[in-house]
Amino acid sequence: MKAQLVNKMIPAESVAFDFNPEGLTVKRTADMTNGATGGTKGSTKKASPAQLTVTKAYLEGKDVKDRAEQLLAWCEPGGGMLGKAIGAALGALSDGRMNLTSKQPTLIFMWGPFLMECVLKSATINFERFDRTGEPTRGAVDFQLSEEPSLLGLLPTNPTSGGLPGRKRHIVSHGESLPLIAAQNYGHPGLWRAIADANGIDDPFRTAPGSVLFLPSVSEISAARN
């Protein structure tokens, strides 16, 4: 499985790395109370979003420049021409209530056991090889991601079954994986296992386009986690 970043709202907009990262660092900082706010001095008040730093993830081929430009565009509000165009269209349809061009796009980072919903805080591309025309054919990428809160985390820990939606069907599209489907439907890519268990799937990244999946209800997932 190659390391990759996927735009959560626009799955067709993605960057896959040809050679996996040489290094990956995860950092989370605990904010401590100091007694003045009513808490016990030295006790944990809350944890900051996780920061993930990836070093030397390589791009190689004729489209290195295009993928590098996509990474840099994700650091901007709206996330590039396609994201801004779709964001502007959604904003017009919702009379301005849905403005996706005012903030960075939410991405999903996937690599082996690492699955994180995030925004791209920084990206540095070092172009190392070029063809005869000067087009880059290889680039080493360092980037930093900041974790985004999951929608599922806002649910109560013991929801009742009344009023919650039941299972629904999902037809797999080209390029979709279980982590991506989980992120789109539940707000967190790490919940792909619930979909896999409901459908008897062993490999989350080998789901054929056109396959029909049954998606567990939120109440099923919450019950399984408690």
Side-chain angles (χ1 to χ4, degrees):
M1 174 62 190
K2 294 180 179 179
Q4 61 180 312
L5 283 164
V6 180
N7 189 328
K8 180 181 176 182
M9 293 294 293
I10 313 173
E13 196 176 79
S14 64
V15 171
F17 296 92
D18 299 291
F19 296 94
N20 284 325
E22 292 186 6
L24 189 150
T25 302
V26 180
K27 178 182 178 182
R28 188 188 293 274
T29 304
D31 294 334
M32 311 298 286
T33 59
N34 57 16
T37 58
T40 303
K41 184 176 182 180
S43 63
T44 302
K45 185 177 181 180
K46 62 179 181 179
S48 63
Q51 306 294 313
L52 191 149
T53 301
V54 177
T55 55
K56 289 190 176 181
Y58 283 91
L59 301 173
E60 190 166 79
K62 295 181 179 180
D63 63 342
V64 165
K65 186 173 180 292
D66 292 337
R67 284 183 284 169
E69 289 178 346
Q70 179 61 77
L71 287 170
L72 297 176
W74 280 334
C75 292
E76 304 174 9
M81 294 182 62
L82 179 59
K84 290 176 181 177
I86 293 177
L90 290 175
L93 291 173
S94 64
D95 293 326
R97 292 189 299 273
M98 184 181 294
N99 186 3
L100 300 180
T101 61
S102 63
K103 62 179 182 178
Q104 287 179 256
T106 300
L107 309 176
I108 300 172
F109 175 72
M110 298 182 286
W111 183 33
F114 298 97
L115 292 164
M116 189 170 80
E117 196 169 324
C118 54
V119 293
L120 184 61
K121 303 302 293 183
S122 67
T124 302
I125 300 99
N126 179 27
F127 297 112
E128 298 181 346
R129 294 180 184 174
F130 305 83
D131 64 17
R132 294 180 179 180
T133 66
E135 284 288 321
T137 58
R138 183 168 182 169
V141 185
D142 297 337
F143 58 94
Q144 185 178 45
L145 307 170
S146 180
E147 182 182 29
E148 285 282 275
S150 167
L151 294 177
L152 192 64
L154 302 177
L155 292 173
T157 54
N158 291 295
T160 60
S161 57
L164 290 176
R167 287 191 174 189
K168 60 180 182 179
R169 294 197 311 164
H170 177 86
I171 300 176
V172 179
S173 300
H174 180 72
E176 282 190 322
S177 63
L178 293 194
L180 182 58
I181 295 170
Q184 292 173 331
N185 287 274
Y186 307 119
H188 199 296
L191 295 175
W192 66 265
R193 293 183 185 278
I195 303 176
D197 290 343
N199 293 274
I201 297 174
D202 296 325
D203 189 341
F205 300 102
R206 288 186 176 277
T207 306
S211 300
V212 178
L213 299 179
F214 292 98
L215 304 183
S217 65
V218 173
S219 58
E220 285 184 81
I221 295 176
S222 298
R225 298 178 72 194
N226 293 334

